Every structure is written in C-alpha cells, then in structure tokens.
C-alpha cells in the first residue's frame, strides 16, 4: 500500500501538463504553458491506446515514471482539472497497479475514483482491482484522497493471508489500516463463498492480524449459533510461526469414557525451533501428555523429538480380566497401566567430506502403541526398532567408520535387544600392488591381487534369557526349558549387563584377481579369514553325583575361521530370427556359474573351539553319552569339513517386436519386450559330507506380462526320497528321488506364487505412487481417515494374489495350501465424489482378514470424508467435515466409532 500512496500523491503533478502523443514521451515533445491552450473547449480527448504512456514525474523526490492506458479513450477537463480513463483503464507505478473500467482523477479535490461500468445487458464490467506487491484488493468502487491519505472502498474483497474479507464499506487510514462494516471473513475463494464468519465490524492490520467484534458462523447463507464475543485471525507477512493455543476436541470412548483431547500450546521459540505441548483427559481417570519439538537448520539438518506419557485407567477392564476364565484375553481391554513412548528423527544434509549423523528412534512400553495407535501400521506391527549412528569416510583414504547404537523390541513377546555401542571400521577393496609399491602398473597377473578389511565391535544387551535344557537321563544341559524375559529398568541393570555379551569381529578378504580362461570364461579365486573376540569361554565337566554338566566360564575367548574358493562364469547369447509380422527375433541370454569353496573342520580338537562332553549314561545299554558342545556362546565356526561345489544358471528371454507407434522411425521401429526377466536354477554338492551331499534345488522366476502383471515364483526341491514309517511319518533317506522311467526329477518341498496386477492406465505409464494421506487430514493421525485420492484419475485398481504350497511329511495330515487375494483401488463416481477400497481375503480360513472403504467428497473449500473398517479389533467408522484451510483447521465436525469406543 505504501507504493500506492506515493503513486496517488504523484498523479496531480503528472497530469498538470498536456499528455504527449501516443507512443511519445514528454522528453520528445515540448510542454506548452497552461494559459496558451488554443482550444476553447473545456475538454480534450486523446485517442484510446493499448500501449502504455510513460510520463516522468516533474521535480520532487520521486524519480520514477507512471504508465497508464485505456482501451476506449482518455479525456481531460482542463478547467475542472479532471482526467477520465475509459475502458480497461490501467495505471502502473512500480509494483503498484490499478485496473478498472473507469478511473477518474480530480487533482483539484485530491481524489482518485475507480469504478465499474455496465455493458448493454447491464452486466458489470471492469470491477476495480488494486494490487500492491503481494496484496490485492477488489471492490465495486474505490475513492481515495491522496493528500489526507484516507480512502473509502465500497463492496470490497481483499485477501489477507489464507483468508478473504468481504465488506460493504471499508475506510482506510494513513497507517494503511482499514476498518470494515458488515464484513465477512472466509477462506473460500468464490465471489459468493460457501461459508463465512459474519461480523458487524472488523479491523485489519495488513501483514499482521484481522480482528472482529462478536461474530457467528454462516454456512450456505444459513446463520448458525456457533460464534464468540471476538475473533482474531493472524495474517503474518512472511507466514512466520507464532505461539498460540491449540483447540481441543471432545468425544466419548468405550475404554476411557468422555474425553477432552488435544488441548495444548505451541511455543514458537524462533524460526528454527518450535515445541508443541498437548494433553488429553478422560472421565474414567486416565490422561495423556505429549510433547514434540521440531527443529531445522537450513542446508544442514532437520529433525523432531517427542515424548508421550499415558496413564490408561479402566477399573471395569480390570474387573473383567479378573473374572474371565478364558486364556485368550485379546478382545478384553487391557488392565490399567502407565506407558510411555519416545520418538526422535534426525536427518542431515549430505555434504562431501563431512560426517553424517542420523537418528531414528521409536521405542517405549510394550502396550503403548496398541492403546494409542495413530494408524493401522503402528497397531499391526509386532516390532519396532531404533538406531542412532554417525558415519564418516576419511578423506584421501580407503577407510570409513561408523559408531551407532541400536535397539529393537517385540510388542508381542516383550523382548528388547540393545546394541550399545556398535562400532565398525572398514577398508574398501584396494590393490595390493598399489598399496605396497609406488611403481606404475605393468599388467602382470599378480597386480590384480586385492585386499579388503573390516572390524566390528559391539556390546549386545538383551532382556531375553535363552532357555537352558535340563540334564540327567535325557543328556541335555541347563536349568530352564523355555526363554524368559527380564524387566527393563534401573533396578536390574546388573542382571541385564550380565545377560549381555561383548564381541569384536575381524574379516579379511583377499582377491586373487579375475582372469580370462579358454577365451570365454571368467575365473576368480579368493581367500578369506575371520576372527572373533568374545568376552566368555566355557569349559564343561560332568558331575556323576548330580548327573549334571557343570559349566565354568572364563574371561577372554578367541575364535577364528578361514576358507578359500574360486568361481567360474560365462555368458551365452542365442538369437532366433522369426521375421514375422510383428515379432522380429527372440533372444535367450544364459549366465551359468560354478563356484567352489573349502573350509576345514573346526570341531577338531587341535582348534579348541569345541569340547566332547560326557552328558550321562544310557540306562538301557549302560553306554556313555557324549556330546560335542561349543565353548563359545556365539561365533563358533562350523563343526564339519566343507568342500562344496555350487552351481547356478540364470536365464533371460527377450523378444524384439515392431513398434505400434505411428511416429516410429528407422532408428526406433523396434522395441524390446521381456518374456522372462530372470529364471534361476541353483544348487550345490558337498564332497566332504558323509550323506545328503546334494543340496536342495532352488528354482525362482520373475517377469512382467502385458506391461501390468508382475509374476514372481519361487520353489524348492529335495533330491532325496522320503520314506514313511508304520505311523505314517516321513523320514528323509540318503537315496536319490530321481527316476527317469517314472519321470521323477526331484521332490517338491515348497512353492510360492505371487501375481500382482496394476490395472490403472496412468500408473502403467508413470509407475509413480502418490502421497499416502490427504494433506488436510494428516493432523488427526487416525487410522479411520481415508488415504490420498487423486481426483484427476477416474479409477485405479490393483489385484494381488499369493499362493503358498507345502506338501505334508505325514500320511495322516494334508498338504498345506495358503491362498490370499488382495484388492485395492479408487473409483471416481463424479468429479467431486471418490471411493477408495482395500481388502484381503484368506481362502484357507474363508474370511476377510482386513478391509477398509473410504468415501471422499470435494466441497470446494471444505472436505468430507467417510471411512469404514468393518472387521477386526479396529472396526469402526469415521465421518469428518472440515474446512480445507490450515488457518481454520479446528473448524470441523467429526463423528467416529473405533475399536475402543464402539
């Protein structure tokens, strides 16, 4: 507005002289004195022009020019000192512009007036529009006194921040503040808004706030009783964050009673840090406190940290659980308890040569997510994990290191595992010749030797105590038959630490080069060595009196292993030229590979990694039972000699077809179509094994058919027979199943088939996935809100079918066959109505395992959404109607029923 005032002050001095001819400035034409005008008439007309006329300001402090134009005509009343601009009248001054059907300037009364004009049918044309930088004003009539810097605007529409102000009369003062009478405030951008806040009086401080007196909400021109004694709507210029109260919601929950949820306050500490403190209170005695701090440092990092403390209190649930005789308490509400949850995410901006610190923490009490779930994924997920790490690559060296802390927990079993800390140092593969010699490479065979190294040291702590098997006549060791868990807390840190383990692992790999043999084969030998340092080493001794095995624990333990191997691979191409109407050729690509590895038997007594332990005496035969036990809790290498040959064959089949495109040229008249992306057969043979030398045969395949159907298949075959005992239980025997006379190759042990079809034509073109939630609905964070729907796409449809087959090893039980079908998509009933759906059907149990139906209605400046989950513990519905603008996010109506309040 400041520029507009300067422009209005300049206007009278601009028009004191007759205008130059069209397309000509005053520097090109002399200015005649006013008393020597030859024409006796009172008015002077200038032909209309669409080009702007630039007139420099004569004298004063303003040095810029004013550009004006009119489509019909420009008239001057010299005696009255009035200028008239007709038809698409425009005035521009810097970043200030005024447009209207008619503009009048009276520099005798210091008044500028702009208004609209009717056409032959009476329709309003050229409604005045004033623009000052980012602010725009639209009104039926504008009158402004540039000397007193005050104005009066009739039937004005202006935008302030995210909202629009409609008023019958607006008066503006010299401070650029304006006051309105009979005003309406709305976020709807229509000339006749769908809803608005009606108030008799209001005051606007540009780029600051809008204040009103007593107001009420009007929807569809129907006044509602919703309102308040005053209104305050912030409209900051730079949309800076501001501290303020967060309005709560109210409702009723089956588990907690009536509630007041989301009452809080947002603290905008500065432009980089903001904190939200919110609380929920329930009539049955529970409460919830949540704090979240968001921080950002541009070009460096951003993150968020939050802590939630929840007191779930339900005396009725406690009584119900106490009286229940059923062991399955899944459908009964949990007992009263206190839970907490910690969230932390930190993401840096990657910069060359700098370390990278990242954090992803999601941890807390076992039942917290089930009591306070915000989406289906959190509710259904059985486990959560957290990690904080720092990574850095040492410049000008092959070394890099990582220091991290990790945590994982299972919300079903209650187990928690910690790695505090986890440190690793790695060296990328480098040439041995370049490492120990400064001479230039000569191409000798030994110059291909490479070396790689990695070190990982970690301290693992777990509250899960593994089972110890009982000894005696059964010949097994330990004291407990099943895993147990420890409580995680400060009171039992000593027990947790005792249950933990510390270890450091070194891995050294030596590559002996890659060589061409027999012209077409690639030969790659290698050697590897690994060593692990452990905090415990066991020594076993059988006690004949107690018939148990005593375990003595010593301190440091060291275990190592080494192996050698080599691989031989090649690539075979085969092309069959069809020369058909569309099919030009079919190409088959085969990649066979053979590998060999050798590892000694580390259970040999000379290594000292295992111990032959007397565990008891068989009372039937009076023979001593001896077991070979590892002397380390983890990290011990394999007990048997391995001399294994592995082999695999990868296949890819493509077809060359003529393009259907009309714009195809000689260069692109053909295109490739994949028939089979990858078909792989793999197995192995261990020469050192005393039986079952041939490994199971794996067959996998993946491809895409018709550009929308993805097919994935995997299976496993056992080359050995299965013999059944008198009880009908199968036992694997060391005899090949292969029988060419009966066309038997191998015995199928399991197979898995997955078919996924995406029938949306737009998705087939772009393969892009839209966002997962509507932006205006993300604030509520409820699983009953619909997912994102793109109204531009008329429909989407995706089908997913999975089948798993596993034959039975017993004649008494049938084979296992699991089949599930999933469907999801959207349907645009009209331009404004969209329906989305998601469901999974289990053919084995003949039951719908999960299903949702969402309906969304675009109400222009409002959104309506209906979501329904008909099955499961989460079953319920949600109906939400709310204003789309974030400024009025609390203006909504919600009706819901969920698993906790149905």
């Amino acid at each position: 507005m400041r520029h507009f005032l300067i422009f209005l002050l300049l206007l009278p001095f601009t028009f004191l002289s007759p205008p130059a001819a069209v397309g000509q400035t005053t520097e090109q034409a002399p200015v005649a004195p006013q008393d020597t005008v030859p024409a006796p008439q009172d008015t002077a007309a200038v032909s209309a022009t669409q080009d702007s006329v630039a007139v420099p300001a004569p004298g004063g402090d303003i040095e810029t020019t004013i550009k004006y134009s009119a489509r019909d005509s420009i008239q001057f009343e010299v005696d009255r000192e009035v200028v008239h601009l007709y038809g698409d009248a425009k005035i521009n001054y810097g970043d200030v512009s005024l447009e209207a059907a008619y503009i009048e300037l009276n520099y005798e009364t210091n008044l500028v007036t702009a208004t609209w004009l009717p056409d032959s049918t009476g329709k309003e044309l050229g409604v005045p529009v004033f623009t000052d930088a980012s602010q725009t004003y639209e009104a039926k009539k504008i009158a402004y006194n540039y000397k007193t810097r005050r104005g009066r605007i009739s039937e004005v529409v202006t935008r302030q921040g995210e909202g629009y102000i409609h008023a019958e009369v607006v008066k503006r003062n010299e401070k650029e503040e304006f006051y309105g009478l009979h005003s309406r405030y709305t976020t709807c951008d229509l000339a006749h808004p769908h809803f608005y806040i009606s108030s008799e009086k209001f005051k606007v401080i540009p780029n600051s706030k809008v204040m009103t007196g007593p107001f009420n909400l009007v929807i569809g021109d129907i006044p509602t009783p919703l309102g308040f004694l005053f209104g305050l709507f912030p409209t900051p210029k730079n949309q800076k964050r501001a501290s303020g109260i967060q309005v709560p919601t109210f409702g009723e929950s089956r588990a907690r009673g009536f509630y007041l949820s989301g009452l809080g306050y947002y603290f905008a500490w500065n432009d980089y840090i903001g904190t939200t403190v919110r609380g929920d209170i329930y009539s049955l005695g529970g409460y919830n406190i949540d704090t979240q701090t968001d921080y950002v440092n541009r070009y460096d990092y951003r993150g968020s940290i939050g802590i939630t403390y929840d007191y779930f209190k339900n005396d009725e649930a406690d009584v119900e659980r106490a009286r229940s005789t059923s062991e399955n308490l899944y459908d009964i509400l949990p007992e009263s308890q206190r839970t907490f949850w910690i969230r932390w995410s930190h993401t840096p901006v990657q910069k060359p040569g700098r370390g990278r610190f990242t954090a992803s923490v999601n941890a807390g009490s076992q039942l917290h997510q089930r009591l306070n779930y915000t989406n289906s994924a959190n509710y259904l997920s059985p486990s959560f994990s957290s990690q904080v790490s720092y990574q850095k690559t040492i410049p000008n060296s092959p070394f890099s290191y990582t220091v991290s802390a990790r945590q994982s927990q299972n919300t079903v079993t209650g187990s928690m595992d910690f790695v505090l800390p986890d440190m690793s140092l790695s060296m990328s593969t480098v040439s041995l010749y370049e490492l120990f010699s400064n001479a230039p490479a000569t191409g000798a065979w030994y110059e291909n030797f490479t070396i790689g190294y990695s070190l990982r040291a970690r301290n693992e702590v777990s509250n899960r105590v593994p089972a110890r098997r009982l000894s005696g006549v059964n010949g097994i060791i330990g004291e407990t038959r099943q895993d147990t868990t420890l409580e995680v807390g400060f009171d039992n840190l000593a027990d947790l630490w005792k249950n933990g383990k510390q270890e450091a692992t070194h891995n050294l790999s030596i590559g002996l080069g890659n060589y061409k043999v027999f012209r077409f084969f690639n030969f790659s030998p290698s050697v590897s060595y690994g060593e692990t340092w452990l905090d415990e080493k066991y020594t076993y001794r059988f006690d004949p009196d107690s018939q148990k095995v005593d375990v003595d624990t010593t301190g440091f333990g060291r275990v190592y292993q080494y192996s050698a191997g080599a691989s031989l691979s090649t690539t075979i191409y085969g092309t069959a030229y069809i020369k058909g109407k569309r099919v030009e050729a079919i190409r088959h690509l085969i990649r066979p590979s053979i590998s060999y590895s050798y590892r000694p038997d580390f259970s040999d007594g000379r290594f000292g990694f295992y111990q032959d332990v007397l565990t008891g005496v068989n009372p039937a035969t009076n023979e001593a039972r001896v077991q070979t036990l590892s002397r380390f809790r983890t990290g011990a290498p394999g007990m048997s000699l391995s001399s294994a040959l592995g082999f695999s064959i990868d296949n890819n089949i493509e077809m060359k077809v003529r393009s259907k495109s009309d714009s195809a040229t000689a260069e692109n008249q053909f295109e490739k179509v994949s028939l089979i992306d990858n078909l792989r057969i793999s197995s192995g043979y261990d020469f050192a094994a005393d039986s079952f030398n041939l490994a199971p045969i794996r067959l996998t395949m993946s491809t895409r058919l018709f550009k929308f159907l993805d097919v994935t298949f995997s299976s496993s075959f056992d080359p050995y027979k299965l013999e059944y005992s008198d009880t009908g239980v199968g036992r694997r025997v060391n005899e090949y199943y292969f029988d060419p006379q009966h066309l038997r190759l191998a015995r199928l042990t399991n197979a898995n088939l997955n078919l996924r079809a995406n029938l949306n034509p737009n998705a087939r073109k772009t393969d892009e996935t839209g966002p997962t939630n509507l932006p205006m609905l993300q604030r509520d964070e409820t699983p009953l809100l619909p997912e994102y729907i793109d109204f531009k796409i008329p429909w989407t449809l995706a089908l997913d079918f999975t089948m798993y087959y596993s034959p039975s090893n017993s004649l008494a039980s049938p084979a296992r066959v699991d089949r599930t079908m999933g469907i999801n998509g959207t349907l645009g009933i009209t331009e404004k109505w969209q329906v989305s759906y998601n469901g999974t059907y289990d053919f084995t149990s003949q039951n719908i395992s999960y299903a949702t139906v969402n309906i969304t209605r675009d109400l222009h400046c409002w959104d309506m959404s209906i979501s329904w989950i008909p099955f499961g513990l989460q079953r319920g519905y949600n109906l939400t109607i709310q204003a789309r603008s974030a400024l009025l996010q609390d203006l909504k109506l919600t009706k819901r029923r969920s698993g906790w309040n149905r």
Side-chain angles (χ1 to χ4, degrees):
M1 289 300 289
R2 182 177 61 255
H3 297 127
F4 181 51
L5 299 178
I6 298 175
F7 153 68
L8 294 175
L9 289 171
L10 175 65
L11 281 178
F13 299 100
T14 304
F15 295 106
L16 286 176
S17 302
V22 175
Q24 187 179 22
T25 65
T26 55
E27 286 138 350
Q28 296 171 328
V31 180
Q34 196 172 16
D35 54 0
T36 58
V37 177
Q41 66 271 21
D42 292 338
T43 61
V46 179
S47 61
T49 176
Q50 292 289 350
D51 298 328
S52 299
V53 179
V55 182
D61 297 329
I62 303 175
E63 298 179 355
T64 185
T65 59
I66 297 174
K67 299 179 181 179
Y68 62 91
S69 64
R71 178 173 52 84
D72 292 341
S73 63
I74 301 176
Q75 297 181 352
F76 300 90
E77 296 185 44
V78 180
D79 56 343
R80 294 183 52 217
E81 300 181 3
V82 175
V83 181
H84 305 271
L85 286 79
Y86 293 94
D88 291 339
K90 298 179 182 179
I91 298 178
N92 292 287
Y93 176 77
D95 56 357
V96 174
S97 64
L98 178 63
E99 299 180 8
Y102 169 74
I103 298 177
E104 175 186 303
L105 169 65
N106 189 325
Y107 48 85
E108 182 179 5
T109 60
N110 306 318
L111 192 63
V112 176
T113 304
T115 186
W116 58 276
L117 294 176
D119 62 1
S120 58
T121 62
K123 183 180 179 181
E124 299 178 357
L125 295 179
V127 177
V129 177
F130 170 73
T131 303
D132 179 4
S134 61
Q135 295 188 14
T136 301
Y137 302 86
E138 183 176 341
K140 295 295 182 64
K141 185 176 182 180
I142 297 177
Y144 185 80
N145 190 305
Y146 55 82
K147 186 173 183 180
T148 62
R149 304 180 67 180
R150 295 177 177 271
R152 178 186 175 93
I153 308 175
S154 302
E155 299 182 53
V156 64
V157 178
T158 180
R159 181 171 183 175
Q160 294 292 322
E162 295 185 32
Y164 297 87
I165 296 177
H166 301 246
E168 291 185 6
V169 179
V170 168
K171 293 184 178 180
R172 186 178 182 280
N173 62 19
E174 65 277 4
K175 297 180 180 180
E176 300 186 4
E177 302 171 345
F178 53 92
Y179 303 81
L181 184 64
H182 301 158
S183 59
R184 295 176 293 174
Y185 181 80
T186 181
T187 57
C188 181
D189 58 358
L190 296 180
H192 189 79
H194 291 114
F195 78 101
Y196 54 87
I197 293 173
S198 177
S199 178
E200 282 295 312
K201 298 180 180 179
F202 76 95
K203 177 182 179 180
V204 176
I205 302 178
N207 302 323
S208 179
K209 60 180 70 72
V210 176
M211 297 171 287
T212 74
F215 71 89
N216 70 298
L217 178 65
V218 179
I219 300 178
D221 293 331
I222 301 175
T224 69
L226 302 177
F228 200 65
L229 298 177
F230 65 91
L232 179 62
F233 308 95
T235 58
K237 179 179 180 181
N238 299 322
Q239 299 297 321
K240 293 183 178 180
R241 295 178 298 175
S243 301
I245 297 175
Q246 295 202 345
V247 180
T249 59
F250 62 90
E252 182 185 4
S253 169
R254 165 198 168 197
R256 300 188 172 192
F258 295 98
Y259 63 81
L260 190 65
S261 175
L263 176 62
Y265 195 87
Y266 178 76
F267 299 90
W269 306 115
N270 51 46
D271 292 339
Y272 311 102
I273 301 178
T275 302
T276 302
V277 180
R278 287 177 293 193
D280 308 336
I281 186 170
Y282 303 91
S283 61
L284 294 183
Y287 58 87
N288 180 290
I289 300 175
D290 179 82
T291 64
Q292 178 168 324
T293 299
D294 299 316
Y295 57 89
V296 61
N297 190 351
R298 186 175 296 180
Y299 311 121
D300 204 352
Y301 59 82
R302 67 172 54 248
S304 174
I305 182 170
I307 300 176
T308 301
Y309 179 83
D310 180 76
Y311 176 37
F312 177 81
K313 180 175 176 58
N314 192 315
D315 297 332
E316 295 180 2
D318 298 342
V319 175
E320 186 178 357
R321 294 177 68 90
R323 292 178 177 176
S324 177
T325 58
S326 174
E327 296 182 357
N328 185 13
L329 300 178
Y330 184 79
D331 286 331
I332 301 178
L333 290 173
E335 59 186 355
S336 299
Q337 58 189 289
R338 301 175 187 269
T339 62
F340 73 94
W341 200 261
I342 299 176
R343 311 172 305 275
W344 181 27
S345 64
H346 180 91
T347 305
V349 177
Q350 185 66 40
K351 295 182 179 180
R354 291 186 56 181
R356 179 179 175 84
F357 175 80
T358 59
S360 177
V361 176
N362 210 12
S365 303
Q366 181 178 352
L367 290 180
H368 182 88
Q369 292 298 81
R370 293 181 67 86
L371 294 173
N372 302 273
Y373 64 93
T374 57
N375 53 60
S376 300
N378 285 349
Y379 180 81
L380 299 175
S381 178
S383 60
F384 297 88
S385 60
S386 306
Q387 179 170 337
V388 179
S389 64
Y390 178 79
Q391 304 173 346
K392 184 175 177 60
T393 299
I394 302 176
N396 304 320
S397 76
F399 293 97
S400 62
Y401 63 88
T402 301
V403 180
S404 64
R406 293 183 290 110
Q407 180 264 352
S408 62
Q409 68 179 102
N410 190 301
T411 58
V412 177
T413 63
S415 63
M416 300 184 70
D417 299 309
F418 302 88
V419 183
L420 304 168
D422 188 353
M423 299 179 293
S424 63
L425 173 67
S426 61
M427 181 185 74
S428 59
T429 303
V430 296
S431 171
L432 280 173
Y433 181 79
E434 296 178 358
L435 189 63
F436 296 104
S437 176
N438 295 326
T442 60
W445 61 272
Y446 56 83
E447 294 179 355
N448 293 326
F449 290 2
T450 59
I451 184 173
Y453 171 77
S454 66
L455 165 65
R456 184 178 184 183
R458 54 183 177 174
N459 171 47
E460 297 184 14
V461 179
S462 176
N463 72 331
R464 179 168 41 89
V465 181
R468 293 185 176 182
R469 296 173 295 176
L470 299 176
S471 64
V473 294
N474 295 327
I476 35 186
I477 300 172
E479 298 177 355
T480 58
R481 292 183 181 271
Q482 59 184 2
D483 293 353
T484 58
T485 56
L486 300 172
E487 291 291 335
V488 178
F490 294 101
D491 298 336
N492 58 346
L493 287 179
D495 296 334
L496 290 172
W497 183 265
K498 184 179 179 180
N499 189 49
K501 57 184 178 181
Q502 298 81 40
E503 64 179 49
T505 302
H506 308 262
N507 285 307
L508 183 68
S509 62
I510 300 176
L512 302 179
N514 190 357
Y515 308 96
K516 283 281 187 181
V517 294
F518 306 112
R519 293 183 59 187
F520 304 107
F521 295 90
N522 296 319
F523 178 71
S524 302
S526 62
V527 177
S528 63
Y529 176 85
E531 183 171 316
T532 303
W533 298 345
L534 300 162
D535 62 334
E536 290 182 347
K537 184 177 181 180
Y538 304 141
T539 301
Y540 305 96
R541 182 180 61 87
F542 180 72
D543 186 356
D545 297 333
S546 62
Q547 290 292 302
K548 290 185 178 181
V549 176
D550 294 332
V551 182
D552 295 331
T553 303
T554 59
F556 178 76
R558 171 177 170 267
V559 61
Y560 59 88
Q561 59 179 323
Y562 50 84
S563 63
S567 64
L568 185 69
S569 63
T570 188
T571 303
I572 302 173
Y573 298 90
T575 303
Y577 292 95
I578 308 299
K579 298 294 185 180
K581 184 176 181 180
R582 283 212 60 203
V583 180
E584 178 72 11
I586 297 178
R587 188 180 74 164
H588 186 191
L589 178 64
I590 308 174
R591 295 188 180 91
S593 175
I594 300 176
S595 63
Y596 174 78
S597 62
Y598 175 84
R599 187 194 64 195
D601 182 7
F602 290 100
S603 64
D604 194 302
R606 61 191 175 93
F607 293 102
F609 300 152
Y610 293 86
Q611 180 183 346
D612 294 332
V613 182
L614 176 66
T615 60
V617 178
N618 191 336
T621 61
N622 202 26
E623 294 180 355
R625 281 195 294 261
V626 179
Q627 283 185 283
T628 302
L629 303 176
S630 171
R631 303 186 64 186
F632 305 92
R633 180 160 46 182
T634 58
M639 294 178 58
S640 59
L641 173 68
S642 175
S643 177
L645 180 71
F647 50 88
S648 65
I649 301 177
D650 291 279
N651 299 267
N652 174 268
I653 301 178
E654 293 179 336
M655 183 168 58
K656 187 177 181 180
V657 299
R658 294 184 182 275
S659 176
K660 292 183 179 180
S661 175
D662 297 335
S663 60
T665 60
E667 292 79 9
N668 60 0
Q669 62 176 328
F670 294 101
E671 60 181 1
K672 293 181 180 179
V673 177
S674 177
L675 299 180
I676 298 179
D677 292 338
N678 186 38
L679 174 62
R680 179 182 177 87
I681 304 174
S682 62
S683 184
Y685 189 90
D686 192 346
F687 297 97
D690 56 355
S691 61
F692 303 106
N693 304 79
L694 186 61
I697 302 171
R698 294 280 300 167
L699 174 64
T700 60
M701 186 195 73
S702 63
T703 188
R704 168 171 283 195
L705 302 178
F706 313 112
K707 296 184 179 181
F708 69 89
L709 179 62
D710 294 320
V711 181
T712 304
F713 174 77
S714 64
S715 59
S716 178
F717 298 86
D718 191 344
Y720 294 96
K721 286 184 178 180
L722 195 68
E723 288 188 354
Y724 295 94
S725 63
D726 296 337
T727 59
V729 178
R731 184 177 64 89
R732 193 168 179 243
V733 295
N734 190 29
E735 185 178 347
Y736 288 117
Y737 185 83
F738 179 75
D739 187 356
Q741 293 182 355
H742 296 83
L743 300 178
R744 297 190 312 186
L745 301 178
R747 182 170 52 87
L748 178 65
T749 57
N750 63 75
N752 187 81
L753 173 66
N754 178 262
L755 304 176
R756 180 169 180 81
N758 191 346
L759 304 178
N760 175 26
N762 291 353
R764 293 205 302 267
K765 294 177 182 178
T766 61
D767 288 333
E768 294 181 356
T769 303
T772 57
N773 293 95
L774 279 168
M776 69 288 298
L777 300 180
Q778 285 180 347
R779 297 183 298 272
D780 282 346
E781 294 184 341
T782 169
L784 287 172
L785 286 177
E787 294 183 350
Y788 175 83
I789 295 178
D790 192 343
F791 285 89
K792 297 179 182 178
I793 301 178
W795 62 271
T796 65
L797 177 62
L799 302 174
D800 187 281
F801 176 78
T802 301
M803 183 177 70
Y804 176 81
Y805 172 79
S806 176
S808 174
N809 291 335
S810 174
L811 296 176
S813 59
R816 176 186 173 185
V817 180
D818 296 334
R819 293 169 298 165
T820 59
M821 169 69 80
I823 182 173
N824 67 82
T826 62
L827 175 63
I829 302 177
T830 67
E831 245 183 52
K832 302 296 184 179
W833 283 97
Q834 289 281 341
V835 178
S836 65
Y837 47 89
N838 183 2
T840 303
Y841 183 80
D842 190 343
F843 292 93
T844 304
S845 61
Q846 296 183 355
N847 185 30
I848 298 177
S849 54
Y850 186 78
T852 60
V853 178
N854 305 313
I855 303 174
T856 303
R857 175 70 163 94
D858 182 1
L859 300 174
H860 185 254
C861 50
W862 288 68
D863 287 299
M864 183 185 73
S865 61
I866 304 173
S867 182
W868 179 38
I869 300 179
F871 309 105
L873 188 61
Q874 286 185 283
R875 62 185 180 271
Y877 68 88
N878 179 90
L879 168 63
T880 299
I881 302 176
Q882 64 180 18
R884 179 172 295 180
S885 172
L887 183 65
L888 302 178
Q889 58 180 303
D890 297 310
L891 186 60
K892 61 183 177 181
L893 173 65
T894 301
K895 182 67 175 178
R896 68 181 64 174
R897 286 290 184 268
S898 65
W900 295 123
N901 63 5
R902 62 177 180 269

